Amino acid sequence: MKLFISCVLVILQSTVVSGQISCYSCNSGWNLCPDTGITATTLASTTSCPSQRCYVRQDKDGFTYRGCADEFGLTSLPTSGCLSGPFSDSVVQWCFCSTSLCNSVAFTALGGTGTIATGTIGYAQTSPGQHILGGTLQSGITSLSLCLTTCTASTTCLALDYNSADNSCWFHTSTTACSTLVTKASCTNYRKSLCSTTVATTSFAQTSPGQHIIGGALQSGITTLALCQSTCLATTTCQALDFNTADNSCWFHTSTTACNTLVAKASCTNYRRSTCTATTTASFAQTSTGQHILGGTFQSGITTLALCQSTCLASATCQALDFNSADNSCWFHTSTTACNTLVTKASCTNYRKSTCTTTTTTGSFVLTSSGRHILGGTLQSGITTLALCQFTCLATTTCQALDFNSADNSCWFHTSTTACNTLVAKVSCTNYRRLTCTTTTTAVPTGYISQTTGSHIAGGTLQSGITTLATCLATCLAQPTCQAVDFNFANPSCWFHSSTTACSSLITKASCTNYRRVTCTAAVPIVSTTFSCYSCNSGWNVCADTGITSVSLAGTTACPSQRCYVRRDKDGLTYRGCADEFGLTNVATSGCVAGPFSDSVVQWCFCSTSLCNNVAFTSLGGTSAAVATISATTSVTSCVSSCTGLADGFYQSCVSCTQFVGCSGGAISTQNCPAGLVWDNSLKVCTTVSSTCTLTSRLNYWK
């Protein structure tokens, strides 16, 4: 029912007559409910009417309305006859009857005169929830009554649309008045005369969420689904549409493409005006995450997976695709490469239109050796990441092993000729093999008789300018006085040892490897401890003044006395290590002091938990001024500086408590205790505290 009411109705109370009747409820805007009476009683709507007062009402807009008087609280009016008002501003007459469904007859049959107010013309057709595209907006008209009366008074206005959502009024001339009605819930269309050929198109025959059709025509300026749908429905050539919610774009399809294959696209929905029985949704038969195929064709301009997939599915020549999420690149494969071997690449996913039964995935290495490499590999120019190094090797049939050097991010390939050669220690390298090599061993370089990884000897001589292991080893072999080498991979440095120190005890240091040219039969075993200190200086960026920046790369050393230090020297560098290296085993476990070696040292600051010296010098209390002095006195019960007349064996050195001498056939050799230990001449061992010697002697330990 339609009634224009601007006032609040007061519902009148009445006594309900026993036995409830029904009344027809409709208006003459519907062809089943004309002025002359209900034409199809089985289709017309009905409503219950407790007051037993059905009505047929003639309004000034020319429409006839039918219903129950209770709807407007008119329960006290007569049960028959006609009268004007209430609501006389819009109503001509009310006519009543009191039997069930009695208001099926013509308005005049109940006594209605049908007199229409002067100057008001009725509308022949009213269509709620419908409008016509292409009307002219009537500026300043914001009410339905004004919209109706203004159109009524205009000879060129033959139809109007009123939109209750924004109270807008739109006029239609003879050009558009009988155009197709399009669904819009907030609108009502009014026509002054009937349009016999007008058909209201209210829906699409087929809706496919998450799908679209390739090849539609973009509709510029249409950015809402409602406008996209209504415009398509009003356009005879538009047989289907795609609406993309990702960018609010509207795409029309003619009969040429409307029934083409639907392709998956999450942000799209396809609407068809007729059913396409042969349509199928294309998909991929095989998806391989973390894999790709070498040799695809790069698709320029395609930067999303959805577009990559849909474009491939729409292409007859594209049989597979790779999408790389790392750089959002799309690669197509024809039948030539689509079933080639899948290769591991974490950022890629491969999609195949059909299953390849003979495809195998090459995805891993059978053996990984950290801190090792093989000599003689081929440098792969331009490859600077481990992932790319591994992936390229796996994709290359001739590559059977690789070395990746994290120190300079270099990648080296090995063919079957070198892949099973001996592994050689190199801290910054990791070797990856694609095959098992049963006879592989770690080689000792030519010219050397022993190699000890993770160890070095204190007191070597730094070889300035030598920063590669190969040069370090070769240079030592060329010098008769060089009997042993330490190479530190953490801050590539080379240290030579003469016969004086070559057979000194090996000290644990993860970043170092020791190489000896002589056999040392009397070397003292390394004493192990679980307490460690960082051992480095600020000449290396990992060991900055402000603290250790990479704990995994910085060298460490055992510290039996549990006294780590951070030391500031007058050369401006900050040093870190264990106090035992300098025999300072009796100093306080915290706080800062000056000396010993005050000629070059500003301050020592100590801490007493494992690896506690990773912090800034100032964090342990360090300042630029000394606060105390450590005594550097010497107290030795007995020592040996010559083996003449002595039995073979070990004796206290007269140089330092951290050194001892070995006598063999009257010949003397000097050896060092491991870091943090001193020689006890009574026990004949290196220990944390000596009962026979207390001596502080600075050692050239830094490398």
Side-chain angles (χ1 to χ4, degrees):
M1 286 181 27
K2 179 170 181 137
L3 180 65
F4 311 112
I5 305 172
S6 60
C7 61
V8 178
L9 300 180
V10 179
I11 306 300
L12 304 177
Q13 302 296 320
S14 66
T15 302
V16 178
V17 179
S18 176
Q20 186 166 293
I21 68 170
S22 296
C23 305
Y24 285 109
S25 178
C26 59
N27 69 64
S28 58
W30 184 32
N31 58 4
L32 296 182
C33 190
D35 294 346
T36 54
I38 302 295
T39 59
T41 57
T42 58
L43 296 177
S45 299
T46 61
T47 184
S48 61
C49 194
S51 71
Q52 300 186 355
R53 288 171 174 80
C54 296
Y55 71 81
V56 180
R57 189 185 83 236
Q58 182 77 56
D59 277 19
K60 292 179 180 179
D61 63 6
F63 282 84
T64 299
Y65 297 83
R66 304 170 190 272
C68 171
D70 301 28
E71 299 162 4
F72 299 96
L74 307 179
T75 56
S76 60
L77 294 180
T79 56
S80 63
C82 300
L83 71 164
S84 61
F87 320 121
S88 58
D89 60 328
S90 59
V91 175
V92 176
Q93 271 186 322
W94 301 77
C95 294
F96 299 94
C97 58
S98 57
T99 59
S100 191
L101 302 178
C102 60
N103 63 339
S104 63
V105 298
F107 175 64
T108 54
L110 293 181
T113 61
T115 302
I116 298 176
T118 303
T120 302
I121 302 174
Y123 289 84
Q125 189 176 23
T126 301
S127 304
Q130 307 285 336
H131 76 136
I132 302 170
L133 296 174
T136 303
L137 176 65
Q138 303 302 299
S139 178
I141 299 180
T142 58
S143 69
L144 175 61
S145 59
L146 183 59
C147 188
L148 289 166
T149 56
T150 306
C151 180
T152 298
S154 171
T155 56
T156 59
C157 179
L158 298 182
L160 69 89
D161 297 313
Y162 187 77
N163 188 339
S164 60
D166 58 6
N167 294 315
S168 59
C169 174
W170 304 76
F171 283 2
H172 295 276
T173 65
S174 58
T175 305
T176 58
C178 282
S179 293
T180 303
L181 289 168
V182 178
T183 300
K184 191 166 187 177
S186 61
C187 288
T188 300
N189 176 265
Y190 300 85
R191 283 169 166 154
K192 287 183 176 180
S193 58
L194 295 175
C195 299
S196 58
T197 60
T198 300
V199 179
T201 305
T202 60
S203 63
F204 291 88
Q206 190 175 24
T207 301
S208 303
Q211 308 286 337
H212 76 137
I213 302 170
I214 301 290
L218 176 64
Q219 303 302 299
S220 178
I222 299 180
T223 58
T224 66
L225 173 61
L227 183 58
C228 187
Q229 291 176 318
S230 62
T231 308
C232 179
L233 290 171
T235 306
T236 54
T237 57
C238 179
Q239 296 301 303
L241 71 88
D242 297 313
F243 190 79
N244 188 341
T245 57
D247 58 6
N248 293 318
S249 58
C250 173
W251 304 77
F252 282 2
H253 295 275
T254 64
S255 56
T256 305
T257 59
C259 283
N260 282 6
T261 302
L262 289 169
V263 178
K265 191 167 187 177
S267 60
C268 288
T269 300
N270 175 267
Y271 300 84
R272 282 168 164 154
R273 296 179 70 173
S274 57
T275 303
C276 301
T277 55
T279 298
T280 58
T281 302
S283 62
F284 293 93
Q286 189 176 25
T287 301
S288 303
T289 304
Q291 308 286 337
H292 78 140
I293 303 170
L294 295 175
T297 303
F298 176 60
Q299 303 300 300
S300 178
I302 299 181
T303 57
T304 67
L305 173 60
L307 183 58
C308 187
Q309 291 177 319
S310 62
T311 308
C312 179
L313 289 170
S315 170
T317 58
C318 179
Q319 297 301 304
L321 70 89
D322 297 313
F323 189 78
N324 188 339
S325 60
D327 58 7
N328 293 318
S329 59
C330 174
W331 304 77
F332 282 2
H333 295 276
T334 64
S335 56
T336 305
T337 59
C339 282
N340 283 6
T341 302
L342 289 168
V343 178
T344 300
K345 190 167 187 179
S347 60
C348 288
T349 300
N350 174 266
Y351 301 84
R352 282 167 164 156
K353 284 184 174 180
S354 57
T355 302
C356 301
T357 55
T358 60
T359 298
T360 58
T361 301
T362 305
S364 63
F365 294 89
V366 299
L367 183 66
T368 301
S369 302
S370 300
R372 297 284 188 267
H373 76 136
I374 302 170
L375 296 175
T378 303
L379 176 64
Q380 303 301 299
S381 179
I383 299 180
T384 58
T385 67
L386 173 60
L388 183 58
C389 186
Q390 291 177 319
F391 147 69
T392 309
C393 179
L394 290 171
T396 306
T397 54
T398 56
C399 179
Q400 296 300 302
L402 71 89
D403 296 314
F404 189 79
N405 188 340
S406 60
D408 58 6
N409 293 319
S410 59
C411 174
W412 304 77
F413 282 2
H414 296 276
T415 64
S416 57
T417 305
T418 58
C420 283
N421 282 7
T422 303
L423 290 169
V424 177
K426 191 166 187 178
V427 172
S428 59
C429 288
T430 300
N431 175 266
Y432 300 85
R433 281 170 165 157
R434 298 177 68 178
L435 70 171
T436 302
C437 301
T438 55
T439 60
T440 298
T441 59
T442 301
V444 176
T446 303
Y448 294 84
I449 63 172
S450 69
Q451 171 182 313
T452 308
T453 303
S455 297
H456 75 134
I457 303 170
T461 303
L462 176 63
Q463 303 301 300
S464 178
I466 299 180
T467 57
T468 66
L469 175 60
T471 304
C472 185
L473 295 174
T475 306
C476 178
L477 290 174
Q479 296 182 16
T481 57
C482 179
Q483 297 297 300
V485 164
D486 293 319
F487 192 80
N488 189 337
F489 294 94
N491 58 338
S493 56
C494 174
W495 304 77
F496 284 0
H497 295 276
S498 65
S499 57
T500 304
T501 57
C503 283
S504 294
S505 296
L506 291 169
I507 300 169
T508 300
K509 191 165 189 178
S511 61
C512 289
T513 299
N514 175 265
Y515 303 85
R516 281 174 166 151
R517 299 176 63 184
V518 293
T519 302
C520 300
T521 56
V524 178
I526 299 173
V527 179
S528 63
T529 177
T530 58
F531 190 99
S532 298
C533 303
Y534 286 107
S535 176
C536 58
N537 68 65
S538 57
W540 184 32
N541 58 2
V542 171
C543 190
D545 290 341
T546 54
I548 302 294
T549 60
S550 176
V551 295
S552 62
L553 293 178
T556 60
T557 185
C559 193
S561 73
Q562 299 189 355
R563 288 169 173 80
C564 296
Y565 70 81
V566 180
R567 190 185 86 232
R568 177 66 58 81
D569 278 17
K570 293 179 180 179
D571 60 7
L573 295 177
T574 299
Y575 295 84
R576 304 170 190 274
C578 170
D580 303 28
E581 299 162 1
F582 298 93
L584 306 180
T585 57
N586 296 317
V587 298
T589 56
S590 63
C592 300
V593 293
F597 321 119
S598 57
D599 58 328
S600 59
V601 175
V602 176
Q603 264 186 328
W604 304 74
C605 293
F606 299 95
C607 57
S608 58
T609 58
S610 190
L611 301 178
C612 58
N613 64 336
N614 65 326
V615 298
F617 175 65
T618 54
S619 297
L620 295 181
T623 64
S624 60
V627 294
T629 301
I630 302 173
S631 174
T633 60
T634 302
S635 175
V636 185
T637 56
S638 64
C639 62
V640 170
S641 59
S642 172
C643 289
T644 303
L646 294 179
D648 291 352
F650 295 112
Y651 301 91
Q652 176 66 61
S653 167
C654 294
V655 177
S656 170
C657 293
T658 61
Q659 292 183 348
F660 60 97
V661 298
C663 292
S664 177
I668 188 170
S669 64
T670 301
Q671 300 191 45
N672 294 322
C673 285
L677 303 184
V678 291
W679 179 259
D680 189 304
N681 208 42
S682 296
L683 300 175
K684 298 296 184 183
V685 295
C686 290
T687 182
T688 56
V689 179
S690 173
S691 63
T692 60
C693 182
T694 55
L695 171 66
T696 301
S697 177
R698 189 174 190 183
L699 302 177
N700 177 19
Y701 182 72
W702 301 105
K703 39 182 178 284

